[in-house]
Amino acid sequence: MGFIRQTLKQLATQTVPRRMLLERGPSSRRRALIAGRYGRGAAEIALTFDDGPHPERTPRLLDLLAEHGVRATFFVLGTMARSRPDLVRRMVADGHEIGNHTYTHVSLEHASPQLLRAEVGTTRAFLEDLTGRACPLFRPPWGKVSARALFQLWSDGHTVVLWNADPRDYAMKSPEAAVAWGARYRPRSGDIILLHDTSSVTGALVHELVKHANGRSIEFSWISQHIA
């Protein structure tokens, strides 16, 4: 079943328009050709953070991103956003993009239409009211979503965002492990990196990435920039 699910996922991400389903963005070369430019250019990658905002770790992460002028996309939980609306507002004020990660981190793999509306619709309405901005980006918890849920999400105007690079920061035991992953990482333009601003080691991993960004010709971008 896992092989079949993975095969169907690959087929969907290759055939469905990026404005509907995104696993990775276009290469910088393709973006340059579309824009009438030539040459490889820098690798454009997207840092994405799930499960926050965390009351202590998210502010430290925002400080780090601001220090290096890095823009990211935060897929927030409705429950966490309600408890710390100030941090969601700061994300927007700092130039980051906000996405929807359900209200309570429920799996949508077998969700009823009613549960999906409650988890996704409620969160989207709250975030749009809080930020004054449209919030069409949605990331399903664990990346699990049924075909029925996908069609409902698309009919409601959502872009479903997955990822193609996962350091598993939530399972790392030490900042040293996070730094080691960042040092090994070889960026490819269009990469979408899955991170969690609730993890104690994510700051160290992000610091390693931004520290070497110039030497590796990396540019950090929003998810919405990878959709265009």
Side-chain angles (χ1 to χ4, degrees):
M1 182 63 71
F3 173 76
I4 294 175
R5 183 183 295 114
Q6 186 64 26
T7 301
L8 291 174
K9 174 185 169 184
Q10 290 177 354
L11 179 63
T13 54
Q14 291 170 6
T15 58
V16 175
R18 285 196 300 274
R19 61 179 175 78
M20 298 170 65
L21 180 63
L22 183 69
E23 185 181 35
R24 71 184 313 273
S27 69
S28 56
R29 178 175 175 81
R30 181 182 176 195
R31 289 168 65 90
L33 290 173
I34 291 173
R37 302 189 305 270
Y38 298 92
R40 286 182 60 105
E44 295 183 52
I45 69 174
L47 298 181
T48 65
F49 300 94
D50 288 9
D51 296 355
H54 187 278
E56 290 87 31
R57 291 166 182 164
T58 301
R60 291 197 292 268
L61 179 62
L62 289 172
D63 290 343
L64 174 62
L65 295 173
E67 178 184 352
H68 293 276
V70 173
R71 296 182 298 180
T73 302
F74 287 83
F75 289 93
V76 304
L77 291 172
T79 52
M80 301 295 282
R82 281 193 184 277
S83 66
R84 295 309 302 263
D86 55 315
L87 288 179
V88 179
R89 294 191 190 98
R90 180 184 169 185
M91 291 170 183
V92 174
D94 284 1
H96 303 296
E97 195 168 48
I98 304 298
N100 182 343
H101 197 42
T102 73
Y103 197 77
T104 63
H105 207 272
V106 67
S107 173
L108 299 182
E109 194 170 18
H110 306 292
S112 67
Q114 294 79 12
L115 179 60
L116 190 146
R117 279 193 293 270
E119 285 283 334
V120 180
T122 299
T123 304
R124 179 172 181 172
F126 173 73
L127 292 175
E128 290 183 344
D129 182 64
L130 178 64
T131 65
R133 297 185 178 186
C135 189
L137 300 179
F138 173 74
R139 171 169 285 165
W142 304 287
K144 296 180 178 180
V145 62
S146 66
R148 181 180 64 183
L150 271 177
F151 283 111
Q152 186 174 341
L153 289 163
W154 291 337
S155 68
D156 291 338
H158 290 94
T159 297
V160 178
V161 182
L162 302 176
W163 60 87
N164 71 302
D166 181 6
R168 295 173 59 85
D169 57 340
Y170 57 86
M172 290 178 176
K173 304 298 184 183
S174 67
E176 290 76 18
V179 169
W181 188 93
R184 292 193 306 270
Y185 170 64
R186 295 297 176 263
R188 297 176 300 163
S189 197
D191 280 354
I192 298 174
I193 303 180
L194 172 65
L195 297 165
H196 300 79
D197 48 322
T198 54
S199 170
S200 62
V201 305
T202 301
L205 194 156
V206 172
H207 186 270
E208 182 70 17
L209 290 176
V210 299
K211 182 174 70 173
H212 295 294
N214 291 331
R216 300 182 190 181
S217 296
I218 295 175
E219 291 182 3
F220 298 99
S221 58
W222 294 327
I223 284 296
S224 60
Q225 292 175 282
H226 288 259
I227 295 172

